[in-house]
Amino acid sequence: MEYRTLPHGGEKISVIGLGSGSLCGTEQEMMDVILAAIQRGINYFDMAPSKKAPFYAYAKAFAGYRENIMMQMHFGAVYKGGNYGWTRNLNDIREQFTWELKLLNTDYTDVGFIHCIDDREDLDEVMNGGIWAYMKALQAEGTIRHLGFSSHNPDIARRILDTGLVDMMMFSINPAYDYRKGDYAIGEVEERATLYRECEQMGVGISVMKPFAGGQLLDAKTSLFKRALTHEQCFQYALDRPAVMTVLPGVRNMQDLETALRYVSASSEEKDYSVIGEFTPQDAKGVCVYCNHCQPCPGGLDIGLINKYYDLALAGDEMAAGHYRKLPVKADACIRCGHCELRCPFHVKQETRMEEIADYFKKYL
Ligand code: SF4
Ligand code: SF4
């Protein structure tokens, strides 16, 4: 398992985490899945199941592992009557959070999320109606270690990032939504890409929900591109976006967990998602998505990473030049062989871009 470091706090987060929305079966079956996930290196867990029942399985499975795992708890997901419900009632939110802490036998959550915030009126209510103040107070006393939020809307996300107080964002990321296909495909192509870069620049980590667009991308009949992608391709696509720490597939059972964990040992060919180059909208053509399908580069350049650092630097990320400086082979090593341009499904003119990148970073070397 690969781990990524949360910029604010330094915690190591497994690149594959566990979404809880689909977990089902008996308590024992759910416990077995959670324990198997921990034993296979998963240490990051979303805590917004669709029913109350999985909480009891989590409580038993996490016993003895609290210091080894991280939870993201949602302020606004409640379980009156046993089923998930969305609320902005502060008393209900407080009651739910207190119950979760007690059941899970802990006195803190690693991440406290404003749950599912997608429009401006709701943002106003959260920020001015007491919920945000309550969460900030919990953070001040150490009961929430990191503040965050889950959203599908880049405009709302940016407004919350502007508070400068959040360390984590849960966002729906997959190639279909990024290319404006599907119900949650909110925001233009560039607006979404800019949001990820801004998170990276601000040191805000992203946990990814809906990596398969609710499963639609996995089947050619339902795929928003009319072509099925694999789990491994969807994971890699999400993990290649700036700021992404972890992807949280919603596993139902042990079989789903095994499917998700196949990513860990998959080859780079299996993870290659460059087939999406065939579906890119006009305004996304010529834009590097960091997929590295153009490898191998005879000059030894990590083309995807060099492009990512450049885009981040242009977006104002002051750390990007430092990351670039540490690369063993830099853009000026490009021998203009043209191999990458022939291979790139996104039609990126990499020879001129490498010249531009080398020129840009010259002053930082
Ligand atoms: S140049 Fe093309 S193939 Fe290479 S990393 Fe960028 S998008 Fe992928
Ligand atoms: S053109 Fe430059 S970056 Fe592209 S494959 Fe050749 S050496 Fe590598």
Side-chain angles (χ1 to χ4, degrees):
M1 180 67 72
E2 177 196 336
Y3 296 85
R4 295 186 174 176
T5 305
L6 185 63
H8 300 158
E11 294 94 331
K12 303 273 185 229
I13 297 178
S14 55
V15 291
I16 305 295
L18 209 69
S20 53
S22 313
L23 198 57
C24 57
T26 64
E27 190 173 303
Q28 185 63 47
E29 284 166 344
M30 290 190 278
M31 240 182 89
D32 289 345
V33 171
I34 301 161
L35 277 170
I38 296 173
Q39 279 147 16
R40 303 278 289 278
I42 289 177
N43 72 350
Y44 196 86
F45 295 85
D46 183 66
M47 303 300 289
S50 57
K51 295 192 183 310
K52 196 173 188 176
F55 279 109
Y56 298 99
Y58 276 114
K60 289 190 180 155
F62 286 164
Y65 288 107
R66 180 66 188 99
E67 293 309 312
N68 309 98
I69 55 113
M70 292 181 71
M71 299 181 221
Q72 53 176 43
M73 291 187 189
H74 292 249
F75 289 65
V78 291
Y79 296 87
K80 286 188 174 175
N83 287 325
Y84 162 81
W86 179 95
T87 187
R88 290 298 181 237
N89 181 301
L90 182 54
N91 286 335
D92 289 347
I93 288 173
R94 194 183 276 123
E95 197 179 303
Q96 175 69 29
F97 180 57
T98 309
W99 177 82
E100 283 178 35
L101 287 184
K102 187 158 181 263
L103 180 76
L104 294 160
N105 193 25
T106 184
D107 56 4
Y108 69 94
T109 180
D110 300 277
V111 186
F113 272 152
I114 307 168
H115 176 63
C116 201
I117 180 162
D118 281 337
D119 66 60
R120 290 200 194 178
E121 278 139 49
D122 186 29
L123 177 67
D124 187 46
E125 189 177 346
V126 168
M127 289 297 166
N128 303 311
I131 296 171
W132 190 230
Y134 169 57
M135 293 175 71
K136 284 195 291 182
L138 289 172
Q139 189 201 26
E141 68 182 34
T143 311
I144 292 178
R145 296 215 167 151
H146 299 281
L147 288 169
F149 64 98
S150 62
S151 176
H152 305 88
N153 185 332
D155 173 51
I156 297 301
R158 183 157 298 105
R159 286 164 195 273
I160 303 175
L161 290 173
D162 282 346
T163 65
L165 297 176
V166 295
D167 296 335
M168 203 72 194
M169 167 175 94
M170 189 182 200
F171 202 71
S172 45
I173 299 180
N174 61 59
Y177 295 174
D178 279 354
Y179 292 159
R180 298 199 308 268
K181 289 179 187 292
D183 290 347
Y184 291 109
I186 304 169
E188 297 298 308
V189 178
E190 184 51 28
E191 187 184 13
R192 294 174 65 91
T194 303
L195 176 69
Y196 312 150
R197 290 198 286 267
E198 282 175 358
C199 283
E200 172 104 16
Q201 184 187 341
M202 298 173 83
V204 173
I206 301 176
S207 57
V208 174
M209 59 180 156
K210 300 195 172 60
F212 321 122
Q216 286 174 295
L217 282 175
L218 302 171
D219 186 334
K221 289 196 206 79
T222 54
S223 169
L224 301 149
F225 297 125
K226 311 272 181 266
R227 170 92 74 93
L229 296 179
T230 64
H231 293 82
E232 291 80 5
Q233 288 171 316
C234 293
F235 280 131
Q236 192 61 53
Y237 175 83
L239 287 167
D240 279 346
R241 298 315 98 204
V244 169
M245 299 274 118
T246 183
V247 183
L248 308 176
V251 307
R252 291 163 298 183
N253 48 34
M254 200 65 90
Q255 196 184 340
D256 283 357
L257 177 66
E258 289 300 335
T259 302
L261 284 168
R262 278 204 315 249
Y263 171 82
V264 176
S265 53
S267 66
S268 44
E269 286 75 27
E270 287 170 316
K271 296 191 256 190
D272 185 339
Y273 55 85
S274 58
V275 62
I276 65 168
E278 292 171 23
F279 331 123
T280 47
Q282 205 54 38
D283 55 353
K285 287 213 170 92
V287 178
C288 182
V289 299
Y290 325 128
C291 66
N292 267 337
H293 179 71
C294 48
Q295 294 289 359
C297 160
L301 284 79
D302 187 331
I303 298 170
L305 206 52
I306 288 172
N307 277 272
K308 193 189 273 191
Y309 291 156
Y310 181 50
D311 288 342
L312 288 168
L314 290 184
D317 185 340
E318 288 165 9
M319 314 270 279
H323 295 321
Y324 179 81
R325 204 165 38 231
K326 287 192 201 130
L327 288 173
V329 183
K330 300 183 176 56
D332 61 355
C334 172
I335 54 172
R336 299 182 73 95
C337 70
H339 172 78
C340 56
E341 297 197 3
L342 285 174
R343 289 268 297 157
C344 177
F346 302 88
H347 313 291
V348 180
K349 297 284 172 236
Q350 212 47 269
E351 290 187 17
T352 29
R353 194 156 155 94
M354 283 301 170
E355 203 176 329
E356 181 185 318
I357 295 174
D359 192 49
Y360 175 87
F361 281 120
K362 224 168 26 201
K363 56 184 177 288
Y364 297 100
L365 299 177

